[in-house]
Structures are given as C-alpha cells and as structure tokens.
Amino acid sequence: MTMTTPRPITSALDARFKPTLYARVGKENSFTLESYRADGGYEAVQRAFALGPDPVIDEMKKSGLRGRGGAGFPTGLKWSFMPLKDGRQHYLICNADESEPGSFKDRYLLTEDPHQLIEGMLIAGFAMRASIGYIYIRGEYVLGAERIDAAIAEARAAGLLGKNVLGSGFDFDLFLHRGAGAYICGEETALMNSLEGLRANPRLKPPFPAASGIYNLPTTINNVESFCAAPHILRYGADWYSSMGTEKSKGNKLFQISGPVARPGVFELPLGATFREIIYDFAGGPLEPIKAIIPGGSSTPMMPWNDAILDTPMDYEAIGAQGSMLGTGGVILIPQDYCIVNATWNLVRFYAHESCGKCTPCREGIGSWMTKIYEKLVRGGGKPGDVELILDMSDNIAGKSFCALADACLGPVVSSIKLFRDEYDYLIANGKSQYGGRSRWAEE
Amino acid sequence: MPYFTDKQTVLEDIFSRYPQTEQGRRSALMPLLREVQNALGYVPEAQMEEISTLIGTTATEVKSVMSFYSTYHTIPTGKWHIQVCATLSCALAGSDALWDDLTETLETVPGEVTPDKLFSVQKVECLGSCGTAPMLQVSDIGYAECVTRKKLHTLLEHLKNGGEFVPDTRVPVFMQGGQQLDALENEVGGRTADLEPLPMPG
Ligand SMILES: Cc1cc2nc3c(=O)[nH]c(=O)nc-3n(C[C@H](O)[C@H](O)[C@H](O)COP(=O)(O)O)c2cc1C
Ligand code: SF4
Ligand code: FES
C-alpha cells in the first residue's frame, strides 16, 4: 500500500482549514474563564503536564512554528536555548507592545481571548522551567490590560496560576506591566530595560536573554500570537500544525489589512495563502486603484501592485524572494493617487520620533538628517541630488546601527525610491507632487 | 501633599508584582507614574520626588525615564486629552484633515489646555487600530474608531455637554455557529473543519 502525503493547506478557503487562534474572537463573553473552558480551554496545558517539559519543547520544534513578532525565529528552538536544568529562577515575557504601524492582531487576542494567551504562557513556562511571567502590554491598550488583569485574577482563583498549578507540582505566576508609548519597547532588550524601570534603550547582545535577561536571569520573550499558537499545537499536534503552510513556513497566522479596502481587519489564514486571497476574498477588494503593497508592517519594503505580487504566497520565503518580508503580517495598501514621497515621509517621521537616541547612525541619520530631507521634499524644496543623498545615507546607516529600528526605517525609504523614483523626480522638478498628499476624510 | 500616603493597598499591589530586590523595586516606576498621572492628569515635580523615594532613586532619574515615554506629561492636560493617530494607515484615511478640524474647532494647540479646562490635544503615532482608521484615543480610557467628521463633532459636543467618553470596542470579525463573520455578517475565514484533540498521554 502506498501512502500519499496530503496536499498542504495553503488557503483559508480549503475545506480542511480550521481557524484556531482567532476562532473565539467576538464570541459573547469569549474573554471569561467559563467561556474558554466550555471550548476546551486549559486541556492543552494538562496534556503538556502529562507529556513533561522536554517533549513539549520537541512538539513545538516539530510544529515548525516561527515567532510571530516579526523576525520569524523558530519558537521551539528558542525555548530550547534556556539553561533548562540550571535550577535558577527563569522568566517568561510576553511581548504585547504591538506598535509596528499596520499591525493590530495582538490587540484582539488580548481583549477577546486572554485565557488563550495565559494557557500558552503556562505551557511555555512549564517547558522552560520558568515560574514567573510578565505580559508587557503597550500602554494604550486599556481594554486589553483590563481583560488580561481580570483573566489573571480568574485563573489564580481557579488554581490555574500560583503554586502547584492544577496539582501538577508546577508553580507559575503571571503579572501585567503596562508600557507608556514608545515603539522601541517592542525590541526585546529595550523591553526588559523598560520593565526594570529604566530608559528603554536596547541592550548589547550577547548576552542573549536566555543567558541573562530580566533581572540578569534567564528569560525568553515571545510575541502574543506565538504563545497563543502553543495550546493548539499541544491540543491537535505538531503534525496538524505543520499540515498548514508551505515547505519552510508552517502553520496559520493572523494577517491584518488596512488602507482603502472594503473590509479592513484581521484574518486568520494558513501561511502560503496569497495576497490576492486576503485582499479580494477576505478584505473585499480595494476601493480605489492601488500602487503599492506593504506586506508585513511599516518596516517591510514596499512591493508593487501587479499580478505576480498578488499571486505571491504570504510566507517567509516567497515574500523574501520578492525583496520584502512577512514581518507581522500587517498588509497596508497605498492608493495610486497618494504621493509616495509623502507616504514614506510619514513613516520616516514615525521612526525618527521613535528612535531611542542611543546610537549615532539612527539618532542623527534618521532622527535628524533623513527627516529634514524628506520634510524639505514634501514641502516642495527638493533639489536634484537629494534622492542620491538619501540613498547614500541609507547605505551608511544600513547594518551600522545598534538595533534593528534604523534598518526598519530604511525598508520603506529604499523600496519607495526603487519602485517610484519617477514620483521623487517629478516632485523635485516641479516643487509639488503629481498626486495629492492627503486623502479624503469621510464626512458621515 | 504626598499622593501615596493614604494609598498603601495600591502600593502593595504594585510592588507585589516585582521581586523584592533593589531592581524589583525600581520596576514599580512605570505603574507608579501611571497611577499619579491618571489621578492628576500629569505628574507634578513633587510626585517625581515622592516616587523616587519609593523606588530608591533620584527625582532626576525619574524625570529622565519619564521623558523617554510619550504618555507621561509634566504639564497639566485637559479633562479629555485627545490623541490623534497620525501614522500611515490613519493618514490614508484622512487623519490630517481630522487633526485640523479638531484643533480648529477647539481653538487649541498641543501643550495647551482649553480655557474651560476640558480639552488638550496631541498627535501620536500608530495606536494599533489601523483597521479602523482614522482613530483617536481619549485620555487613558480608550479609542474612538472610524472617526468621520460627523462622529468627531458629535463626540466633542457630547463631552462639552458633560457627557462621559464611551470607547469603541468594535471587533472586525466574530464567530457564530462555527463560522467567522464580519461586521456585516458576511462569511469569512475557514469552514472550521472538525478536528479531534489528541488523546491524553499515559
Ligand atoms: C524596533 C523593534 C520593535 C519591535 N516591536 C515588537 C512588538 O511590538 N511586538 C513583538 O512581538 N515583537 C517586536 N519586535 C521583535 C522583538 O524584538 C522580538 O523579536 C519578538 O518579540 C520575539 O518574539 P517571537 O519570537 O515570538 O516573534 C520588535 C523588534 C524591533 C527591533
Ligand atoms: S538604532 Fe535607533 S532605536 Fe536602535 S539603539 Fe540605535 S538609536 Fe536606539
Ligand atoms: S496607523 Fe493609526 S492606528 Fe495604526
């Protein structure tokens, strides 16, 4: 008898696809322990207890899950980097800082299904022998903070947090820490400084957090969505998880879409679904002609609007082959008649504002020079040679800054020049863009 | 007048979340700042001093950390501190025009409080609500989403007339009968194929 491997699931329209991460979002009282338990909640962690910590890490490795915070590092592998048997206090941190423009998936996971996150962190804590976890949530997520706090209290009262969780002998407690409006706090070492009450400058690596993180103790940081995937991997198995996605990009993911589409929002799709699927089948199609797609949050290079891009599978490798990145899966569509220099200036201003000021290439290069040139360009004072100057500066900043924030800024800068050089040239030659710099604002 | 003297339970709750070490005490800085700001609308010098004593550092240190974050204010804000997102997805949906209308209607600029003490305004960066652009945040309460000109003016009138701010909690997709629906009840997402959980080991 020959066994044929079933075709992997790469479309959410495939009848075999089952949304899990987002499946309870919007359901009445989805955020309560009662509702979560009625849907089988906290069974996965019991399965984890029965398996033991090392098999849980193996299951995570086998699933192929890669970190959903943007960088895509394999989660199971990261967990195995912890000094598992050193007997010291280990910490777990959930990165709920979600501040990359275009990203808004974690927000609904926090408000609508906080117990899913708590269960994911319990599983992770058990696997990594951590007994304390922090959820670092961006300060503006007020409802998320309330729901997480309430869910933590419910879980503690039900014996799901605290000493000897569900009689397993495993101790784990969880606390919420609210940020205060700084994008850099999403960078994992800056986040640890922020949590320690310091200015949120990134730390030098090594030492990596698994060796010396918060309070100088072994620490692992994962994104909200990464933790939320863990209960489902334990519940349905690594084989189920890796039946979704492409060869090297496994599983399901929350994609977000914003800009002029009929139905902006968050959609759960298997990796490998195409841009065409999310834009047309899910978001209802564009409302006006589009010229550029930002595929995964503001720092991922822009891609042109054409059939080849629309048919590109949204996975780490295929988007990489098109010169961009999957990032957070936050798709932004830029309409034809919105000046690309103005759109890029908007993002340069964002990164300049968020630069922590620690290193010169970023503080001076982006925070000062790049911002000034763009401001001059959009105000109509550009000169021939300005674009070359921007590219030259980009060359000098790329790879030379202390953390990834400066490179993140170069994503939109360099790609917009590559794709829309004509718009830059027109603006410089004529003192104004051939397109408007601002959009219509809805009256009603 | 010290702020925390009669708030021992608040202090205990905050400090209980961190280790009882020097580093752990320092971790209480952000929650303490937020506590003061939410009560007073900003953090006065006296409270920076007070907090520095509580966590074992200097007021200058507290100030230095505060200045790093855009949420903390060293000057008073209005009863309703309106923060408009100016980042790309919101800009594409007209946040520039929203900002102009807001500041012209209230006749105010960042750093000021309106004479009736009701409003202050601030431009902020992406608030993680790009799917409901353009949007704004009111104080430390919540968001107003998909803000049209009409919605903005209705909100301002409501607040001027002594109304409370009720945040939007719109969820873009919800579940019904095993099927994901959008706000207009169109079906989206997969068909939730039945999956069996794995058996318990052992
Ligand atoms: C400037 C900057 C901002 C970041 N912001 C976030 C964020 O808001 N949320 C997040 O999960 N990861 C963010 N990251 C990535 C984190 O440093 C880290 O890689 C991630 O939290 C790891 O989790 P994961 O492996 O589950 O993806 C950011 C990185 C940089 C350089
Ligand atoms: S690259 Fe920018 S954000 Fe990162 S350390 Fe340097 S100054 Fe700070
Ligand atoms: S761009 Fe305004 S909320 Fe993200």
Side-chain angles (χ1 to χ4, degrees), chain B residues 67-121:
Chain B
S67 69
F68 192 91
Y69 300 96
S70 58
T71 302
Y72 306 126
H73 307 294
T74 50
I75 48 172
T77 50
K79 177 177 179 199
W80 307 110
H81 185 59
I82 302 188
Q83 301 145 81
V84 177
C85 172
T87 315
L88 187 57
S89 301
C90 285
L92 292 174
S95 65
D96 292 3
L98 191 167
W99 172 258
D100 290 347
D101 190 341
L102 174 74
T103 49
E104 281 160 24
T105 307
L106 296 178
E107 295 181 35
T108 190
V109 292
E112 277 185 6
V113 179
T114 52
D116 56 10
K117 303 256 192 296
L118 274 182
F119 298 103
S120 50
V121 295

Side-chain angles (χ1 to χ4, degrees), chain B residues 13-51:
Chain B
D13 173 48
I14 290 176
F15 282 111
S16 73
R17 298 175 215 163
Y18 309 100
Q20 286 165 350
T21 59
E22 218 171 284
Q23 273 179 314
R25 256 192 119 59
R26 170 96 192 215
S27 287
L29 176 54
M30 291 177 75
L32 292 173
L33 286 171
R34 186 175 287 278
E35 178 69 29
V36 171
Q37 174 159 306
N38 283 356
L40 310 178
Y42 74 116
V43 186
E45 296 267 352
Q47 269 57 57
M48 297 180 200
E49 191 82 47
E50 189 185 353
I51 290 175

Side-chain angles (χ1 to χ4, degrees), chain B residues 143-163:
Chain B
Y143 296 169
E145 303 176 23
C146 303
V147 181
T148 60
R149 193 186 299 276
K150 188 173 167 198
K151 183 166 172 173
L152 176 69
H153 286 273
T154 310
L155 172 66
L156 294 179
E157 278 309 307
H158 175 72
L159 298 179
K160 276 182 191 162
N161 292 330

